[in-house]
Amino acid sequence: MSGSVTSPAWLRVSVHAVRTATTVAALTLLVGFGAMGSVTERPPVDPARRIDMSAGPLDSLMEENRCSVTGFDRDVIPSKAIVRTPDGATELVSFDRGWAVFSGEIAGELVAVCLGPHDA
């Protein structure tokens, strides 16, 4: 008889222990997945690099070739483009090559589109 009296208490303790262990495991997994998500996110583009693009030789190149980083009206067709190559060099190229960079056919980053020099 004494065995049947202690059995429900033992059962309650076991159920409580399993429930507590399950809750702790679930919380640990949630925190772990949250930490992995924040670690694997790509950092935003360095703002110092963006500021550097509008200074010095690039600024004069853009002015000489009447360039725009936002584009022109739909009826205006650019003749040149400025691209940044994967190794970080900035080049004045044909609009076709700039479009290929923009569309991902050629590696690099499109910086601006240009109308070309004033005398052209």
Side-chain angles (χ1 to χ4, degrees):
M1 228 39 178
S2 66
S4 65
V5 172
T6 58
S7 180
W10 175 82
L11 186 60
R12 279 193 310 250
V13 170
S14 296
V15 168
H16 181 69
V18 168
R19 190 179 329 158
T20 302
T22 303
T23 302
V24 168
L27 289 174
T28 302
L29 285 173
L30 283 173
V31 169
F33 286 135
M36 282 179 25
S38 67
V39 168
T40 58
E41 289 179 13
R42 297 182 75 193
V45 175
D46 184 14
R49 180 175 175 209
R50 292 285 180 195
I51 291 170
D52 184 40
M53 288 173 47
S54 65
L58 180 60
D59 193 30
S60 62
L61 181 65
M62 288 184 64
E63 187 176 321
E64 291 169 9
N65 290 284
R66 301 180 296 160
C67 300
S68 170
V69 295
T70 58
F72 301 104
D73 290 335
R74 291 182 184 262
D75 59 335
V76 177
I77 301 173
S79 62
K80 301 280 184 188
I82 297 176
V83 297
R84 185 177 301 276
T85 62
D87 62 350
T90 304
E91 299 176 350
L92 180 67
V93 297
S94 69
F95 177 75
D96 290 336
R97 182 163 176 217
W99 184 260
V101 169
F102 176 73
S103 63
E105 295 173 28
I106 299 175
E109 176 186 4
L110 180 65
V111 176
V113 291
C114 309
L115 299 175
H118 287 287
D119 58 331

